[in-house]
Amino acid sequence: MRTEASLVPQPALPQSPPSPGREHASEHCTLLDGGTEAFPRMLEAISFARHRIHLEVYTFEREGVGALFLDALVAAAKRGVVVKVVVDGWGSIGASKHLTQTLLAAGAKVRVYNPLTSLCLGRSWRNHRKILLVDDTVAFLGGINIGDAYAARGDVPGWADLAVELRGDICRQLGAKLTAGAAALSAGAVRLFLSGIGGGHRLRKRYLSAIDGAKHEVILAHAYFLPDTHFVKALTRAARRGVKVSLLLAGRSDVIFARAATMRLYATFLRAGVNIHEWTASTLHAKAAVVDGRTLLVGSFNLDPLSLVNLETLVEAEEPGVAAQAALWLDKHVALSRHVLPEQCGRSGLQRWLLDVVGLAVARFAERFASFIGRRRKR
């Protein structure tokens, strides 16, 4: 594969925040549409780094855009920047050895979180976070991994995903809490949650609180949507009290049988008046929601059992401008998606039985595996 800069589209950068190399004191939150917008800004921030870079990511591909990031990190380390990179042992299984060797040779620090050998010790939980923090002044968080699939190539869309670029005191707070496990940070209209040893239950509660408080509209886009019964009831309860609830879900998935596990819930949602749309133009990887056009929830946290035990992030922003941008992103994707109608759920008895059996089996396996991991983590 090619590794030149042309692999990453170079769109015009939004003008509202200051450039990465300048000092600033005010808080900023900028929404970024997939790797197409995020990768150039992340690489620019790394190139301006003067003191410290912390990169934490589930999947870091070796080639393509991954090679660009690796080159930028090596260059930063060689000019004296303290560089620390954490990759997941499963998500980055094909690249972790090369990354480790290359970065260590440049003087950077590297950690492979729970490599496959740790499975023998029962350490199955993952580091699913996506964090780039530069000089404690600019941070990027969301669902985007470092890989070519997340950026558009010509007319071919990248995976549908979102990230936010944060600036200001929230970044300083994040720098102080990166190794402290669970944390809840706040600055201005932005709150940032990191799940630690207790898992993602606090992050799940932020979604439930926003949904329970919704008065007009909830738009939710999630790639791996396996909500528990309580979460399903929160969404259907909101729809029945007159809130417009819309779900943007994956029409195709990179995880086998994940869609079947989600589809078994369609009839329940549709009966309650929830709108369901399936994104099919590319892989949906977003984990985001907008509530009443004013609250944005976005991060690495999936609404599934495994995210309750993995290391995750969630950003909650009450900035109307950012929430409005996210709502436009969601509306655009909903408009281009397949609308699921009640009559389309009218499968034959055998089809319904097979789908429900497979979906239920997947959901129950995920729940029990997550429960097992949770017990292991607490030992």
Side-chain angles (χ1 to χ4, degrees):
M1 297 177 65
R2 296 181 300 153
T3 60
E4 64 268 25
S6 62
L7 280 171
V8 181
Q10 302 290 323
L13 300 181
Q15 296 301 309
S16 54
S19 62
R22 300 176 185 171
E23 296 295 333
H24 50 86
S26 59
E27 302 292 329
H28 289 281
C29 179
T30 304
L31 187 74
L32 302 174
D33 184 356
T36 303
E37 290 187 358
F39 290 155
R41 297 184 72 99
M42 294 168 73
L43 288 166
E44 185 182 26
I46 292 171
S47 73
F48 276 102
R50 289 179 289 182
H51 308 293
R52 177 192 184 198
I53 295 171
H54 179 97
L55 175 63
E56 205 165 332
V57 68
Y58 180 70
T59 300
F60 193 134
E61 292 185 357
R62 175 173 176 171
E63 298 182 329
V65 72
L68 298 180
F69 272 88
L70 185 57
D71 288 346
L73 293 167
V74 166
K78 288 183 175 178
R79 66 174 181 266
V81 177
V82 176
V83 176
K84 182 177 181 180
V85 176
V86 182
V87 297
D88 185 77
W90 178 260
S92 299
I93 187 173
S96 59
K97 182 177 180 180
H98 173 69
L99 293 173
T100 300
Q101 292 174 342
T102 304
L103 289 168
L104 289 178
K109 300 176 182 178
V110 187
R111 181 186 179 190
V112 179
Y113 187 88
N114 279 356
L116 292 189
T117 53
S118 66
L119 293 176
C120 300
L121 303 175
R123 296 173 60 88
S124 305
W125 55 92
R126 311 312 328 161
N127 186 339
H128 195 243
R129 295 173 176 174
K130 290 88 177 172
I131 302 172
L132 172 63
L133 176 66
V134 177
D135 290 340
D136 289 1
T137 60
V138 56
F140 300 84
L141 299 99
I144 301 169
N145 288 295
I146 297 178
D148 288 348
Y150 293 85
R153 290 190 175 217
D155 294 331
V156 180
W159 285 17
D161 210 340
L162 288 168
V164 287
E165 176 184 322
L166 303 178
R167 293 174 179 271
D169 189 63
I170 196 76
C171 299
R172 180 194 60 78
Q173 295 180 47
L174 176 60
K177 294 291 186 178
L178 280 171
T179 59
L185 316 175
S186 178
V190 177
R191 289 181 290 276
L192 171 56
F193 301 90
L194 304 176
S195 65
I197 201 69
H201 291 278
R202 178 185 292 183
L203 281 58
R204 171 182 170 275
K205 287 180 181 178
R206 299 312 304 170
Y207 270 94
L208 287 172
S209 177
I211 292 168
D212 288 340
K215 293 179 172 58
H216 308 293
E217 185 176 25
V218 174
I219 312 175
L220 186 149
H222 265 262
Y224 314 112
F225 189 62
L226 297 177
D228 57 77
T229 301
H230 186 64
F231 201 98
V232 171
K233 288 181 178 179
L235 286 171
T236 55
R237 189 166 56 242
R240 286 178 175 135
R241 69 171 183 265
V243 176
K244 182 181 178 182
V245 179
S246 300
L247 303 179
L248 177 64
L249 305 175
R252 63 189 196 191
S253 178
D254 61 317
V255 177
I256 189 170
F257 297 133
R259 184 165 174 259
T262 300
M263 289 178 68
R264 70 186 178 88
L265 301 172
Y266 280 10
T268 299
F269 284 128
L270 292 171
R271 281 195 299 268
V274 174
N275 299 296
I276 301 176
H277 292 79
E278 291 186 332
W279 176 256
T280 59
S282 64
T283 298
L284 177 69
H285 196 255
K287 310 96 169 48
V290 174
V291 178
D292 289 341
R294 58 180 177 79
T295 301
L296 167 65
L297 296 163
V298 63
S300 67
F301 180 73
N302 288 302
L303 291 170
D304 68 7
L306 295 178
S307 276
L308 296 177
V309 293
N310 292 335
L311 298 183
E312 303 282 3
T313 65
L314 179 66
V315 176
E316 184 174 353
E318 296 280 354
E319 290 191 2
V322 172
Q325 290 175 4
L328 285 174
W329 186 93
L330 289 164
D331 287 343
K332 179 184 74 173
H333 284 73
V334 164
L336 297 173
S337 297
R338 179 173 59 220
H339 189 193
V340 178
L341 301 174
E343 54 267 27
Q344 294 171 328
C345 295
R347 305 176 302 274
S348 70
L350 179 60
Q351 288 175 322
R352 184 168 58 251
W353 182 83
L354 288 173
L355 182 63
D356 290 347
V357 166
V358 171
L360 183 62
V362 172
R364 290 293 178 264
F365 174 79
E367 291 169 0
R368 290 171 183 172
F369 186 62
S371 178
F372 168 76
I373 294 174
R375 291 194 299 270
R376 296 289 302 181
R377 289 189 65 174
K378 293 176 182 178
R379 290 184 181 181

